[in-house]
Amino acid sequence: MPRFRARLVLLLVCRPVFLISLWGLAFSAYATSPRVISLAPHATELAYAAGLGPHLVAASAYSDYPEQAKSLERVANYRGIKLERIIALKPDLILAWRGGNPPKPLETLAKMGFEIRYLNPNQLSDIGQFIRELGRYSKTSDIATRNAKAFDKKLAQLKARYQNAPSVRYFYLLSDTPLMTASDRAWPSQLFRLCGGENIFAESPAAYPQVNMEQVITRLPQTVFYTGATLPESWQSMAELVPDHAQRFTWPLNPDWLTRATPRALNAAEQICTALDKVRHAQ
């Protein structure tokens, strides 16, 4: 592989017009079973969606979907990554997340010649694109093509259905102690916007701002979303302060669906869209 990479760099310098075709050569240069490591839960899910599941040799903590991912060796968590172990596993490809993985160890791996693909989504449509790109590393790219098409189709259907839906003001209860939410800078807000949700803290400069109950009340939310099985008890004691309709319309969401940039994000979108429709019909 190092010799191939050296030849590839030389060809890119001398003949940049062949960039696209050389990408194809680079992908096909992998062995029949390329070794892949994922350093984030959403990257693990995307790898499986792209047909790379059989090639994963290690993953990060909380990589729990699909079921097969639970048996993978763990080489990363919120504290950092196991640099020496990753090197020992000799991966052909490392899937990483800027902001979620420490930069210095990844820079070290890159200098050593390991290929790192960062999967940092900015919008929902990136999910299908990531699946297609990762599929090029697999010998079964048809799996990636099929899953990417299915995701794109479902996303397009939801956009078409809700593009003209009346907006509904919502409050997303991320944490109750301290009271925190997500602004429009945060990933989950895209799913709410897709369904016609209007974030009462959309303009906050922080992605995940800490707020207070007075701010929630004065912004008059029409509904409240939260993650987990039940509303936190501390919120229940304060809920009577928010408008009546927001008390009646509180909805639980699956946290993995909501926060991970994977095909399952549209499951969360469907939860949200259904909830907002019920609020609209009740008014």
Side-chain angles (χ1 to χ4, degrees), residues 86-120:
I86 292 172
I87 294 171
L89 288 170
K90 300 179 181 179
D92 296 299
L93 176 67
I94 298 172
L95 306 179
W97 174 26
R98 294 188 192 277
N101 298 132
K104 289 187 178 180
L106 291 174
E107 291 171 2
T108 298
L109 289 168
K111 290 178 181 178
M112 295 178 67
F114 290 100
E115 182 171 356
I116 300 174
R117 175 66 173 92
Y118 288 94
L119 300 174
N120 281 67

Side-chain angles (χ1 to χ4, degrees), residues 92-153:
D92 296 299
L93 176 67
I94 298 172
L95 306 179
W97 174 26
R98 294 188 192 277
N101 298 132
K104 289 187 178 180
L106 291 174
E107 291 171 2
T108 298
L109 289 168
K111 290 178 181 178
M112 295 178 67
F114 290 100
E115 182 171 356
I116 300 174
R117 175 66 173 92
Y118 288 94
L119 300 174
N120 281 67
N122 294 311
Q123 52 192 359
L124 284 168
S125 58
D126 289 341
I127 294 173
Q129 185 59 35
F130 285 155
I131 294 172
R132 287 186 175 87
E133 290 177 7
L134 293 180
R136 297 172 187 166
Y137 291 87
S138 172
K139 297 298 182 181
T140 55
S141 59
D142 57 313
I143 295 176
T145 299
R146 182 170 65 250
N147 288 334
K149 283 184 177 179
F151 175 86
D152 291 345
K153 180 180 179 180

Side-chain angles (χ1 to χ4, degrees), residues 40-47 49 97 119-131 134 151 187-188 190-191 255-266:
H42 78 281
T44 303
E45 287 193 40
L46 290 171
W97 174 26
L119 300 174
N120 281 67
N122 294 311
Q123 52 192 359
L124 284 168
S125 58
D126 289 341
I127 294 173
Q129 185 59 35
F130 285 155
I131 294 172
L134 293 180
F151 175 86
W187 170 262
Q190 296 191 57
L191 299 169
D256 290 345
W257 295 355
L258 183 67
T259 59
R260 295 183 186 180
T262 73
R264 293 195 298 162
L266 295 187

Side-chain angles (χ1 to χ4, degrees), residues 9-10 14-15 19-20 30 45 53 60 88 92 95 142 144 152 154 173 229 235 237 272 277:
V9 170
L10 180 61
C14 298
R15 299 179 182 273
L19 178 61
I20 296 176
Y30 283 98
E45 287 193 40
S60 65
D92 296 299
L95 306 179
D142 57 313
D152 291 345
K154 189 174 181 179
L173 175 61
W235 170 264
S237 66
I272 294 167
D277 276 343

